[in-house]
Amino acid sequence: MNRELAVIGVQMDFGQSRRGINMGPSAIRYAGLLEGLEYLGYQVCDKGDIIPMQKGKSLKNMRNYEQVIDGNFRLFWDVTDSLKSGMFPIILGGDHSIAAGSVSAVSKFYEEEGGIGVIWIDAHGDWNNDETSPTGNMHGMPFSAVCGYGPDIMADFGQVPAYVDVKKCVQIGGRDIDTEERKRMKEAGVTVFPMNAIDKLGMNEVIGRAVEIAGSGTAGIHLSFDIDAVTPEAAPGTGTVVHSGLTAREAFFAMEVLAESRKLLSMDMVEVNPILDEKNKTAILASELIQSALGKTVY
Ligand SMILES: [Mn+2]
């Protein structure tokens, strides 16, 4: 694994409706992320935060789309620069709409080397587009966008998009996936391990299969981790809590297996909202999960 890391914060809160999530990157840094990664032996380059434009246009089906696109456009180029410099990008959100920019950049960068697989750990599908979204909140659309299923404006930054092959995409931890969204995911052929698959198979089997699907025949894996995948008792500081999620240990174990696989190319950690948190515990969890994905072990 690359020993140089680029940490990029995105103070994005326009992809959903709860303010405060723009402070997520700060809360995760405050929870000791940079120090923890340095302790693991990495060289850490903190590239600071992207602050999206604060005013812009909105559509009923794509709320605040100008601000969302502005942040994603800048993130796309920051992630691209980090990859070109040989660094492993860690993107801190902000809401999940920013995965449109990060995944698009990683996918484009590795286009000639077999493309990438994506593991999306989340309570939600994030597979709506502007026609199916019940809310118009763009944090529910990035997974669909980066695979070429729209909205196009989320993944096309003038670079000729390298869409991720859905056959190399895995959703883990889903338990609140909209009806239309389910249909679209099934038709597209995304592999989904919802909560009851984890109950049945166990995280060991699920994450093992996910690494196999996303990591075989690709240059490697991008991990997009939405902290709302974890059950609210362990991760209360997020805008769209859904009961009965992953335990903290299930989440940590998934990170440990990903680290062992040595296939990770890049990762997002998103949807930490310190305003809704309890003594920063969700940000601490996010910081620790990132460290586990980068090789921190319990023994
Ligand atoms: Mn999400």
Side-chain angles (χ1 to χ4, degrees):
M1 159 95 66
N2 199 328
R3 301 314 289 178
E4 262 189 277
L5 311 175
V7 174
I8 307 169
V10 191
Q11 295 185 18
M12 174 65 76
D13 65 354
F14 293 105
Q16 46 83 64
S17 50
R18 309 287 297 262
R19 303 313 296 265
I21 203 162
N22 55 315
M23 292 181 257
S26 174
I28 299 170
R29 284 193 188 85
Y30 186 80
L33 177 67
L34 306 180
E35 298 82 353
L37 292 170
E38 278 166 1
Y39 185 75
L40 290 172
Y42 291 101
Q43 263 188 291
V44 185
C45 172
D46 187 353
K47 301 185 87 172
D49 285 359
I50 293 169
I51 302 174
M53 59 196 266
Q54 296 298 298
K55 293 212 183 315
K57 296 196 189 99
S58 210
L59 287 168
K60 183 168 159 280
N61 296 335
M62 285 194 286
R63 296 180 59 247
N64 302 312
Y65 74 92
E66 267 198 328
Q67 295 98 315
V68 170
I69 299 316
D70 174 61
N72 271 306
F73 175 82
R74 288 196 269 154
L75 179 61
F76 176 90
W77 291 110
D78 270 11
V79 171
T80 301
D81 284 348
S82 303
L83 292 166
K84 282 183 177 164
S85 313
M87 293 188 277
F88 176 110
I90 299 171
I91 296 94
L92 309 177
D95 72 61
H96 216 160
S97 65
I98 62 170
S102 63
V103 178
S104 295
V106 182
S107 184
K108 185 68 182 176
F109 185 79
Y110 290 102
E111 188 178 20
E112 308 293 321
E113 295 166 56
I116 61 167
V118 172
I119 297 180
W120 198 279
I121 303 185
D122 201 316
H124 307 90
D126 295 354
W127 197 275
N128 275 300
N129 66 9
D130 46 321
E131 280 156 26
T132 63
S133 169
T135 61
N137 288 333
M138 293 182 82
H139 74 156
M141 309 180 188
F143 202 4
S144 167
V146 298
C147 291
Y149 289 73
D152 298 343
I153 58 164
M154 279 185 100
D156 189 343
F157 308 104
Q159 81 282 26
V160 186
Y163 294 120
V164 182
D165 180 357
V166 282
K167 303 271 178 308
K168 302 291 175 192
C169 288
V170 184
Q171 203 288 344
I172 296 176
R175 55 194 185 277
D176 185 14
I177 303 180
D178 305 321
T179 309
E180 276 304 306
E181 193 178 26
R182 288 183 196 193
K183 274 192 214 157
R184 298 184 75 240
M185 291 178 92
K186 284 179 184 170
E187 276 168 24
V190 189
T191 302
V192 181
F193 294 108
M195 281 313 300
N196 59 340
I198 298 161
D199 296 337
K200 201 170 180 176
L201 302 169
M203 184 53 94
N204 185 37
E205 181 69 22
V206 166
I207 193 67
R209 287 194 203 175
V211 167
E212 188 64 29
I213 292 164
S216 312
T218 61
I221 298 169
H222 175 92
L223 169 66
S224 203
F225 197 111
D226 187 323
I227 203 68
D228 73 20
V230 179
T231 206
E233 293 77 14
T238 189
T240 46
V241 289
V242 189
H243 68 86
S244 307
L246 300 179
T247 64
R249 261 318 301 167
E250 282 171 329
F252 276 114
F253 184 69
M255 298 303 100
E256 289 159 14
V257 171
L258 280 165
E260 274 171 24
S261 79
R262 308 184 76 82
K263 289 186 187 250
L264 270 190
L265 301 169
S266 44
M267 71 178 292
D268 314 312
M269 178 57 72
V270 301
E271 299 281 355
V272 173
N273 188 334
I275 296 290
L276 305 173
D277 206 359
E278 298 162 6
K279 295 185 176 170
N280 216 34
K281 78 188 257 193
T282 308
I284 294 167
L285 176 68
S287 164
E288 291 289 332
L289 286 168
I290 295 168
Q291 292 172 56
S292 291
L294 272 296
K296 185 174 180 179
T297 53
V298 288
Y299 183 69

